[in-house]
Each structure stands twice: as structure tokens, then as C-alpha cells.
Amino acid sequence: MSKQIKNNEDLFEFAKLLSYQTDFNEVLRLIAHQSTQFLKADLALIEMVNPDTRETVKTIFKDGKYNEMEEYRSIHINIGGWIINYKKPFYSKNIHTDKRFLKGQFNDVSLQSVIGVPLVVEGIIIGALILLYNNRSEFVNKKDRKSVV
């Protein structure tokens, strides 16, 4: 069986699983967890924002935790903010040297590469999905990146 067929089957099974969920928080937890599985990320964050004020309502991590993880605060504030502000996907092989941010902005973050997309419902941004990678060698390949970005 080809890798593409296997991936499509996995996505179909995931879609079926989501269709049975009635708890929104569980849907978000599943999306964060499965995103790390499908795209081989080390960590996933889902930042939910109030569409009117753009203030963060909740940040959900891969394991379903809803509290701030201090180490990743700069990620969800700055990268999540960038995604929401510019209303487009974000991609960086190395956030520590990314020219879009101040030098040293992510010194507290051990992870290196980031990919993120806005979460949009009926044309309104309600949050961002952010995937983080320890190093570039594990970063998603161009083909996988195109399916996200």
C-alpha cells in the first residue's frame, strides 16, 4: 500500500472520529494530537481567540492541557499573533534567526522550526494551529508543508 493511500485512510478515520465528538474541547485536543502524528511535530498548540477582541481565550497543547506552558508563551503570543494579524500561514525553519521577529525573541524556546495556520470559520479567524519541531531534519517535507500551508 502506498504511503499516500495510507495517509488518506488515516485522515478519513480521523474525520470519522471527529464527526462523533460533541465536546468542543475534546475536538481541539484531538486535532492538536493528530496534527503532531500526521506531520511528525514535536509539539502542537491551538490558540483560540475571541474574534471581536483578538484576545487569547485558550491555548491547548498536544496533550490537552489548557494552562500556559511558560516556555511556549512567546510562541503563542508572537507566532500566533503573527498568523492572526496577517491572516495567513506561517513557516520558519529556524525561529531563532527569523527576521520577522526581534533577535532573542525566542531564546526561552528549545524548539527550532515552526509551521502554523489560521483557523477560520465563515471567514472569521477564531485561532491558530501551530506545530513545533526540535530541529530542521525532522521538519515536514515540502509536499507535507503544502498540505498545511
Side-chain angles (χ1 to χ4, degrees), residues 3 14 40 62 86 90 104 119 137:
K3 185 178 177 181
F14 180 55
K40 299 171 185 71
K62 173 176 131 179
Y86 289 99
F90 177 87
L119 301 174
S137 64

Side-chain angles (χ1 to χ4, degrees), residues 5-6 20 22 46-47 53 75 86 95 101 129-130 133:
I5 291 172
K6 175 73 172 121
Y20 293 115
T22 57
I46 295 181
E47 179 179 353
T53 64
I75 295 290
Y86 289 99
I95 58 170
F101 301 100
L129 170 63
I130 304 168
Y133 297 82

Side-chain angles (χ1 to χ4, degrees), residues 45-56:
L45 311 173
I46 295 181
E47 179 179 353
M48 301 303 298
V49 296
N50 177 324
D52 295 325
T53 64
R54 291 195 175 183
E55 291 181 14
T56 301

Side-chain angles (χ1 to χ4, degrees), residues 41 43 45 72 74-76 78-80 83 89-96 98 100-101 106 109 111-117 129-136 139-140 145 148-149:
L43 182 66
L45 311 173
Y72 304 108
S74 62
I75 295 290
H76 85 78
N78 295 293
I79 293 177
I83 293 167
F90 177 87
Y91 165 74
S92 178
K93 283 187 178 181
N94 188 338
I95 58 170
H96 301 283
D98 195 302
R100 292 172 280 196
F101 301 100
F106 301 108
V109 179
L111 299 169
Q112 181 175 352
S113 302
V114 178
I115 190 168
V117 293
L129 170 63
I130 304 168
L131 302 173
L132 296 100
Y133 297 82
N134 281 325
N135 62 48
R136 289 179 297 218
F139 199 48
V140 291
R145 193 170 58 242
V148 175
V149 187

